[in-house]
Amino acid sequence: MEALKGFDIDAPRWDQSTFMGRLKHFFNITDCRTVLLPDSRLDEAKALVESCRAGSVPPGTTVEQLHYAKKLYDSAFHPDTGDRMNLIGRMSFQVPGGMAITGFMLQFYRTVPAVVFWQWVNQSFNALVNYTNRNAASPITPKQIGVAYVTATSTALATAVGLNLYTKKAPPLVARWVPFAAVAAANCVNIPMMRQQEILNGIAVTDEDGNKLGHSRKAAVKGITQVVISRVTMAAPGMIILPIIMQRLEKYRFMQKITFLHGPLQVMMVGVFLIFMVPAACSLFPQSCSMAVSKLEPELRESIISQYGDRVSYVYFNKGL
């Protein structure tokens, strides 16, 4: 048993300043097996994490048990509030949830009703994920949630249906890429709309020791932009490469005999992509985002300089996922 004296459970196991360190971290907390655990097990993990933070680790607890408890805590509890997140909105649910929805979007792209239905399902899923992984320090009203949901869904449907009709005479592969175009366009609307309070009122920023310095709209824009890039990157390989694979496979006679299995097959292949792409996309940028004080709004920059002089060069904030 490893000694637990002075053990800091919040210290990152891997270097978060490097992509590989973040990749290992997100492979750990996006493990889809954790969604099968009951709430009681997650609450036990939270209790153990909080006990460790308080310096009262139960006798007999090993470092491995603490690491696993922290894994469950990070995968299921919001970093700002400490509240347990809804199951569907967790990043650990992105693989099973995303593979099913994306697989069927790629399979049922030929008719307008199918496009409308699956884009609506996908945007409903995305809206819940975006709300769940927002920076919770910036509250959002039910009305704003509704407007964000309707706007993003309408954008996805308009893009998908419009491109679907426009590509009727285009090469078959182009039509297969329509779902990705709709998903990318909707992400550019869904995430900023769902997190509009951060853009309007600013996001809480701190110094490197966690001392709150104020709220910044520019920091919010930077964080949300990075999240949009990550989400589009997460979907891109599966939704761009898989249509090419399927188009080639469908030329074979054996594939033409099992058309009823094309949907399940695409779901499984999307899952293979997402197992790697969910942690990879989340790792593109540090979750604890930084911004130079010189790039903040003038009033906030002046406030920080007046209080701290040149001792604070950068501010930090949770960009969300």
Side-chain angles (χ1 to χ4, degrees), residues 281-297:
C282 290
S283 305
L284 289 178
F285 308 101
Q287 186 167 358
S288 179
C289 195
S290 64
M291 177 174 263
V293 171
S294 61
K295 295 183 178 180
L296 297 173
E297 297 88 337

Side-chain angles (χ1 to χ4, degrees), residues 123-163:
Q123 287 314 309
S124 298
F125 177 66
N126 284 346
L128 185 55
V129 172
N130 294 338
Y131 174 74
T132 302
N133 292 281
R134 73 200 185 285
N135 182 305
S138 301
I140 184 170
T141 66
K143 180 180 179 181
Q144 290 169 327
I145 294 173
V147 171
Y149 171 71
V150 171
T151 305
T153 303
S154 300
T155 301
L157 294 181
T159 304
V161 173
L163 289 177

Side-chain angles (χ1 to χ4, degrees), residues 28 34 75 88 93 96-97 119 122 141 154 163 173 179 186 218 228 237 246 258 277 290 300 312 320:
N28 189 44
T34 62
S75 70
I88 296 175
F93 192 76
Q119 286 294 335
N122 186 55
T141 66
S154 300
L163 289 177
L173 183 59
K218 289 187 175 182
V228 170
M246 286 301 296
I258 56 170
M277 286 312 303
S290 64
L300 178 58
V312 176

Side-chain angles (χ1 to χ4, degrees), residues 228-299:
V228 170
I229 294 171
S230 294
R231 293 292 185 80
V232 173
T233 302
M234 190 184 296
M239 300 189 80
I240 293 176
I241 299 173
L242 187 53
I244 300 174
I245 296 173
M246 286 301 296
Q247 186 182 44
R248 293 186 177 181
L249 286 177
E250 288 171 2
K251 293 179 180 179
Y252 292 99
R253 185 171 297 177
F254 79 93
M255 283 293 287
Q256 294 170 4
K257 292 180 179 180
I258 56 170
T259 55
F260 63 95
L261 290 178
H262 289 189
L265 180 61
Q266 289 204 88
V267 168
M268 296 305 297
M269 287 196 288
V270 168
V272 173
F273 277 102
L274 288 179
I275 285 173
F276 295 97
M277 286 312 303
V278 169
C282 290
S283 305
L284 289 178
F285 308 101
Q287 186 167 358
S288 179
C289 195
S290 64
M291 177 174 263
V293 171
S294 61
K295 295 183 178 180
L296 297 173
E297 297 88 337
E299 61 274 15

Side-chain angles (χ1 to χ4, degrees), residues 4-170:
L4 296 180
K5 185 177 181 180
F7 183 81
D8 182 2
I9 198 166
D10 291 311
R13 294 179 64 184
W14 301 281
D15 184 1
Q16 297 295 291
S17 66
T18 67
F19 174 78
M20 288 306 300
R22 295 194 296 273
L23 184 62
K24 292 177 182 178
H25 169 72
F26 281 109
F27 258 118
N28 189 44
I29 69 170
T30 62
D31 183 350
C32 57
R33 293 174 297 179
T34 62
V35 303
L36 301 174
L37 298 176
D39 289 346
S40 57
R41 180 67 184 87
L42 299 176
D43 291 337
E44 288 174 7
K46 180 181 180 181
L48 182 55
V49 169
E50 292 177 341
S51 295
C52 186
R53 286 172 174 167
S56 57
V57 179
T61 304
T62 65
V63 169
E64 290 75 18
Q65 289 173 325
L66 288 175
H67 281 318
Y68 185 65
K70 188 61 163 56
K71 168 181 177 172
L72 297 185
Y73 180 84
D74 287 344
S75 70
F77 294 88
H78 197 283
D80 292 333
T81 65
D83 294 334
R84 188 171 59 246
M85 296 183 286
N86 69 81
L87 176 65
I88 296 175
R90 298 174 197 166
M91 278 296 158
S92 53
F93 192 76
Q94 280 289 296
V95 172
M99 65 187 281
I101 296 172
T102 304
F104 286 117
M105 276 197 298
L106 293 176
Q107 177 63 24
F108 302 109
Y109 67 92
R110 293 180 177 87
T111 67
V112 172
V115 168
V116 169
F117 176 75
W118 286 108
Q119 286 294 335
W120 169 73
V121 170
N122 186 55
Q123 287 314 309
S124 298
F125 177 66
N126 284 346
L128 185 55
V129 172
N130 294 338
Y131 174 74
T132 302
N133 292 281
R134 73 200 185 285
N135 182 305
S138 301
I140 184 170
T141 66
K143 180 180 179 181
Q144 290 169 327
I145 294 173
V147 171
Y149 171 71
V150 171
T151 305
T153 303
S154 300
T155 301
L157 294 181
T159 304
V161 173
L163 289 177
N164 184 268
L165 296 174
Y166 183 74
T167 57
K168 286 293 185 183
K169 297 181 180 180

Side-chain angles (χ1 to χ4, degrees), residues 206-208 213 290-293 296 304 311-316:
T206 69
D207 61 17
E208 60 182 349
L213 302 174
S290 64
M291 177 174 263
V293 171
L296 297 173
I304 294 173
R311 287 176 295 169
V312 176
S313 301
Y314 287 86
V315 297
Y316 302 86

